[in-house]
């Protein structure tokens, strides 16, 4: 596997970084996280029209950029670095992945161009009351009434489910797990935004009561959904790398300028060791996340690499965010300082799609232990 960034990758990174630094400042993040939608429509449209970020993985025949998981990971890392507020993980990663891996051609033609152009936001609903992303825990039933499908039940912790225009729902049909598309204004559908630890990432509870749905997967969809989860886990790991990198930068910048006893605090052994440990862990996390992205891009079985990346990147980001607060001292605990925003994002992201112990359990299963 060729594990190296090209000149085009670096150009993409610099372009996305400039855009994100301009459009996702700390002040913008604080404003958006207090709103119910949680994102800025104008910025979202510019991401589609100027950078093609919303359709990065969408094939060119459907109006996208036709790129792959490595480019998507680069974009996610840069978004994580600035705590970008928006339904990117839900729409450009999970929903796009579900359509590419599990949907029929008609559904792809209908939804992918709208997602890539920013006209439609989509999300994937998998988890239920237990909050598990394990596909075996999906209990929602889909029943066929004549030529129509109906869904009844509850989906919880749905990323940006309160604002999505199209919902891709995993439910059990007579022939196994299947994917269904539900319109945002469908009858029998109620959507409620949930309170979240990380205010920069929105979630919702969806109640379905004989809600009409369109089946978009042919046959059993478990295999396709596993590929979608591997992609989502890998992209979240890349986002965590960006957050950890920013925590490292904040810590070192402060350690070089904050004086105690007439010396920068970075000259003291305890602070030096903390920053050096953060650097080592962040670089290992970056290697793990991009290893998973390159593995998926090469068409390899990315499950092992994805579980490894999510397990390690979750712990690295959380440690970096915690150490960032420690290095900043009392100021780091205050609401006015951005360190706590990264801490909350790190904690919430470590649980999203399963905590590190769950991913290590999956690795043990792969090793047949």
């Amino acid at each position: 596997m060729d594990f190296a960034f090209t000149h085009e990758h670096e150009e993409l990174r610099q372009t996305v970084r400039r855009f994100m630094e301009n459009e996702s400042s700390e002040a913008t993040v604080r404003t958006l996280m207090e709103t119910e939608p949680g994102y800025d429509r104008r910025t979202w449209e510019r991401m589609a029209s100027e950078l093609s970020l919303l359709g990065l993985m969408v094939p060119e025949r459907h109006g996208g950029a036709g790129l792959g998981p490595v480019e998507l990971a680069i974009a996610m890392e840069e978004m994580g670095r600035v705590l970008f507020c928006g339904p990117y993980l839900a729409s450009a990663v999970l929903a796009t992945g579900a359509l590419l891996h599990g949907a029929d051609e008609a559904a792809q033609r209908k939804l992918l161009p709208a997602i890539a152009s920013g006209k439609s936001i989509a999300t994937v609903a998998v988890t239920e009351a237990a909050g598990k992303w394990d596909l075996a825990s999906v209990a929602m039933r889909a029943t066929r009434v004549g030529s129509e499908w109906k869904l009844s039940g509850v989906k919880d912790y749905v990323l940006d489910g309160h604002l999505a225009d199209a919902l891709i729902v995993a439910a059990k049909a007579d022939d196994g797990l299947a994917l269904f598309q539900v319109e945002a204004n469908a009858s029998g559908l109620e959507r409620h935004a949930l309170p979240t630890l990380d205010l920069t990432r929105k979630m919702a509870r969806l109640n379905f009561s004989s809600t009409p749905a369109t089946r978009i997967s042919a046959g059993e969809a478990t295999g396709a959904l596993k590929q979608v989860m591997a992609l989502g886990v890998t992209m979240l790991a890349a986002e965590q790398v960006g957050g950890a990198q920013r925590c490292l930068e904040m810590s070192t910048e402060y350690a070089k300028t904050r004086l105690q006893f007439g010396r920068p605090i970075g000259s003291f052994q305890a602070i030096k060791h903390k920053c050096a440990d953060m650097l080592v862990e962040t670089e290992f996390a970056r290697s793990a996340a991009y290893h998973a992205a390159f593995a998926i891009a090469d068409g390899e079985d990315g499950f092992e690499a994805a579980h490894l990346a999510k397990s390690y990147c979750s712990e690295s980001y959380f440690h970096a965010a915690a150490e960032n607060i420690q290095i900043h001292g009392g100021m780091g605990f205050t609401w006015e300082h951005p360190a706590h925003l990264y801490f909350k994002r790190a904690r919430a992201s470590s649980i999203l799609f399963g905590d590190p112990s769950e991913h290590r359990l999956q690795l043990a299963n792969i090793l047949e232990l």
Side-chain angles (χ1 to χ4, degrees), residues 61 165 224 319 338:
R61 71 178 187 280
D165 304 297
H319 185 239

Side-chain angles (χ1 to χ4, degrees), residues 70-115:
V70 176
E71 292 79 8
L72 194 61
I74 290 171
M76 286 294 295
E77 181 183 346
E78 295 306 317
M79 292 180 199
R81 190 170 171 274
V82 296
L83 297 177
F84 173 70
C85 296
Y88 196 82
L89 180 59
S91 192
V93 178
L94 293 179
T96 298
L99 289 166
L100 291 176
H101 289 294
D104 54 33
E105 181 64 22
Q108 292 183 3
R109 284 200 306 270
K110 176 184 176 184
L111 296 175
L112 287 176
I115 291 173

Side-chain angles (χ1 to χ4, degrees), residues 6-16 18:
T6 64
H7 174 71
E8 287 75 17
H9 288 150
E10 295 302 335
E11 286 290 314
L12 173 64
R13 180 184 300 283
Q14 293 307 317
T15 301
V16 177
R18 284 194 298 272

Side-chain angles (χ1 to χ4, degrees), residues 16-33:
V16 177
R17 178 168 296 188
R18 284 194 298 272
F19 183 87
M20 286 295 153
E21 287 180 344
N22 288 332
E23 299 298 325
S24 185
S25 65
E26 182 191 343
T28 301
V29 169
R30 287 180 181 274
T31 299
L32 292 176
M33 73 184 193

Side-chain angles (χ1 to χ4, degrees), residues 112-282:
L112 287 176
I115 291 173
S117 66
K119 294 179 181 175
S120 178
I121 292 170
T123 190
V124 176
V126 174
T127 53
E128 299 180 1
K132 296 287 186 182
W133 289 88
D134 179 7
L135 299 178
S137 68
V138 175
M140 175 179 277
R141 294 289 307 182
T143 55
R144 190 162 191 168
V145 182
S147 60
E148 294 185 344
W149 287 94
K150 303 281 187 181
L151 299 180
S152 293
V154 178
K155 291 292 184 182
D156 253 328
Y157 312 108
V158 180
L159 290 172
D160 303 293
H162 62 303
L163 60 84
D165 304 297
L167 306 167
I168 299 172
V169 183
K172 286 185 175 177
D174 292 339
D175 57 347
L177 202 59
L179 291 175
F180 297 85
Q181 189 227 323
V182 176
E183 299 292 343
N185 58 356
S187 62
L189 173 64
E190 294 181 1
R191 308 194 289 180
H192 306 281
L194 293 173
T196 55
L197 169 67
D198 174 17
L199 297 176
T200 63
R201 183 148 24 228
K202 306 296 184 182
M203 293 186 175
R205 174 175 295 136
L206 310 180
N207 292 296
F208 298 84
S209 178
S210 293
T211 304
T214 302
R215 181 166 179 167
I216 59 174
S217 63
E220 230 281 336
T222 299
L225 276 169
K226 284 184 176 178
Q227 290 181 296
V228 176
M229 291 309 303
L231 177 68
V233 161
T234 299
M235 295 308 131
L236 180 58
E239 184 192 89
Q240 291 172 313
V241 171
Q245 177 66 38
R246 184 60 193 138
C247 289
L248 172 62
E249 293 169 359
M250 292 165 64
S251 294
T252 52
E253 288 164 6
Y254 185 72
K256 290 176 182 176
T257 56
R258 175 74 168 94
L259 302 180
Q260 275 191 348
F261 309 110
R263 298 165 51 188
I265 62 170
S267 64
F268 295 108
Q269 188 179 54
I271 301 299
K272 281 183 181 178
H273 285 188
K274 284 182 183 294
C275 291
D277 288 344
M278 290 165 67
L279 174 59
V280 170
E281 292 175 356
T282 300

